[in-house]
């Protein structure tokens, strides 16, 4: 079974520089163009998406009945959601480093730890439908975390596995 993980197209420009984990928004103009290109080029037997607009819209362009699985959503950043990263930095300073250095204890904005994200993404991976070619349209954090887990790397290295918007990663399952 081949699973391709596709990070959603770029989001609306109003969200540039903001923390937008589980916040819901549409694409930028560039994102819409990328989605059209992807829809014309990508094929899959089954399409799974996170349920957020930035993944759902592309899934619906690719498949008449995609599967929604909220476990593929981006990390929940709690009170940080929608705020500018520079404002968060001014308030928390080096505490933000906990995103990378403390995946089991740090809860950004009271949201999810990296370990919590890892547990739900692993469960989503294990629940994928049985088909030859599955496409999962998800988010940088959820994709990076799964890739990190499958590589046997510690969660502190997840940042190394973050794909660019519109980037597809293929994995065997």
């Amino acid at each position: 079974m081949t699973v391709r993980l596709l990070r959603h197209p770029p989001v609306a420009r109003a969200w540039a520089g903001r923390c937008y984990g589980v916040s819901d928004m549409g694409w930028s103009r560039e994102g819409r163009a990328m989605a059209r290109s992807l829809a014309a080029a990508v094929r899959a037997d089954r399409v799974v998406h996170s349920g957020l607009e930035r993944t759902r819209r592309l899934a619906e362009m690719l498949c008449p009945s995609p599967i929604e699985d909220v476990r593929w959503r981006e990390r929940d950043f709690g009170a940080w959601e929608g705020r500018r990263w520079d404002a968060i930095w001014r308030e928390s300073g080096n505490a933000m480093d906990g995103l990378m250095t403390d995946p089991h204890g740090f809860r950004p904005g009271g949201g999810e730890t990296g370990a919590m994200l890892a547990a739900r993404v692993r469960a989503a991976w294990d629940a994928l439908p049985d088909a030859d070619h599955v496409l999962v349209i998800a988010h940088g954090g959820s994709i990076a975390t799964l890739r990190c887990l499958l590589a046997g790397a510690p969660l502190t290295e997840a940042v190394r596995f973050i794909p660019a918007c519109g980037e597809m990663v293929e994995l065997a399952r």
Side-chain angles (χ1 to χ4, degrees), residues 51-69:
L52 294 176
E53 181 178 357
R54 57 194 188 266
T55 65
R56 179 188 44 76
R57 286 177 56 200
L58 180 55
E60 290 171 348
M61 292 168 74
L62 292 166
C63 176
S65 56
I67 301 165
E68 180 179 325
D69 186 341

Side-chain angles (χ1 to χ4, degrees), residues 62-83:
L62 292 166
C63 176
S65 56
I67 301 165
E68 180 179 325
D69 186 341
V70 298
R71 294 174 294 190
W72 286 105
R73 286 187 177 184
E74 183 57 274
R75 183 178 190 159
D76 182 346
F77 289 97
W80 289 8
E81 292 282 333
R83 298 190 57 221

